[in-house]
Amino acid sequence: MTRPDPVIVIHPDRQSLADAIGARLVTAILDAQAARGRAQLALTGGSMGSASLASVSAVAGRSAVDWSGFDVWWGDERYLPAGDPERNDTQNDAAGLGRLGLHPDHVHRVAGPDTAESVEASAAAYGETVREHGTGAFDVVLLGVGPDGHVASLFPHHPAQQATDAVAVAVHDSPKPPPVRVSLTFECLRRSREVWFLVAGDDKAVAVAAALAPEADRWDVPASGLAGSEATRWLIDRAAASRLHS
Ligand code: 6PG
């Protein structure tokens, strides 16, 4: 399937980027609800994911959203007990997700070692829940990007990238702590309607340029391996864009 070329939108700084993403999110949720009844959004950990959620609560149009018609997922989660301050969902909750008034049944968290038998069992159960909701196609997947070009918990040269026939995969020996994680697979993420990369800071400039290079290889730069079926948006600040050639 041919996919639209990525669109790159450059904002002056981290805060204006977060505010613009917050506004886009409200619009994307409204559009998805109008088209399909419910909106399905996969969130990301990292500072930009949380900053964007914090901005949603300041968007004037947010009251137009039916927050009960909204399912939230995570592209990846650190395999830690519920409520651990290092979990992506805990950080997203604190940033603003917890104040949107979502029904807990619509917030699909990855089980940690406090409730799952193993990280493999957690990944399998999470994948099954995604399948049950028919969420082969998220409306939007948010992805932070690491300085090494990783997205979700799919790291360069890591075997988790090669998972096939699975929605979610257990990740061991992540180069970024904590070492054990659960990640959606490329196969799952590629079914998303829209993929948004959220990137700020000059420490990301090399990764952004590498991911957008025509010869980029997913094995080396995982962020280069994902595109939405309807849109791929690189929402970045000037510092992160500093190595792109116009
Ligand atoms: C994790 C984080 C991580 C993060 C990126 C970008 O699980 O360790 O989710 O993958 O999304 O490193 O982070 P920043 O937005 O903070 O740069």
Side-chain angles (χ1 to χ4, degrees):
M1 180 176 40
T2 314
R3 291 174 181 242
D5 288 339
V7 176
I8 304 168
V9 186
I10 302 172
H11 295 274
D13 54 41
R14 186 180 286 272
Q15 188 59 51
S16 51
L17 172 62
D19 291 343
I21 296 165
R24 273 182 190 277
L25 274 175
V26 169
T27 307
I29 294 164
L30 287 168
D31 285 349
Q33 288 178 335
R36 288 175 288 282
R38 295 189 72 77
Q40 306 281 345
L41 175 69
L43 300 177
T44 177
S47 56
M48 276 318 300
S50 285
S52 305
L53 286 172
S55 291
V56 167
S57 48
V59 175
R62 77 187 181 290
S63 56
V65 171
D66 170 10
W67 293 105
S68 67
F70 182 50
D71 284 282
V72 171
W73 307 83
W74 275 270
D76 71 324
E77 186 54 273
R78 301 164 175 187
Y79 189 61
L80 298 167
D84 189 292
E86 293 298 318
R87 278 181 62 106
N88 290 334
D89 63 355
T90 310
Q91 294 178 359
N92 286 171
D93 280 339
L97 179 66
R99 294 188 289 279
L100 294 179
L102 305 185
H103 191 287
D105 289 353
H106 301 158
V107 181
H108 305 281
R109 300 175 193 272
V110 177
D114 51 327
T115 51
E117 263 175 37
S118 64
V119 64
E120 282 74 20
S122 171
Y126 187 56
E128 198 43 47
T129 313
V130 172
R131 270 210 191 95
E132 276 164 13
H133 281 73
T135 311
F138 299 106
D139 294 298
V140 179
V141 169
L142 304 182
L143 293 169
V145 179
D148 59 354
H150 83 262
V151 285
S153 284
L154 301 169
F155 291 89
H157 310 148
H158 192 287
Q161 277 201 50
Q162 294 162 320
T164 48
D165 296 327
V167 172
V169 63
V171 179
H172 294 274
D173 301 319
S174 153
K176 181 180 180 185
V180 184
R181 294 151 172 265
V182 170
S183 183
L184 293 179
T185 58
F186 275 117
E187 207 170 294
C188 172
L189 291 165
R190 278 179 56 79
R191 290 198 286 266
S192 306
R193 290 190 167 82
E194 298 210 6
V195 172
W196 298 4
F197 297 98
L198 322 179
V199 204
D202 52 12
D203 59 322
K204 304 292 177 66
V206 169
V208 170
L212 285 163
E215 71 282 5
D217 183 335
R218 175 182 111 177
W219 186 239
D220 302 323
V221 189
S224 69
L226 279 174
S229 59
E230 294 179 10
T232 304
R233 305 184 196 282
W234 281 82
L235 308 174
I236 64 182
D237 75 351
R238 224 174 254 152
S242 59
R243 294 210 176 211
L244 292 176
H245 305 291
S246 48

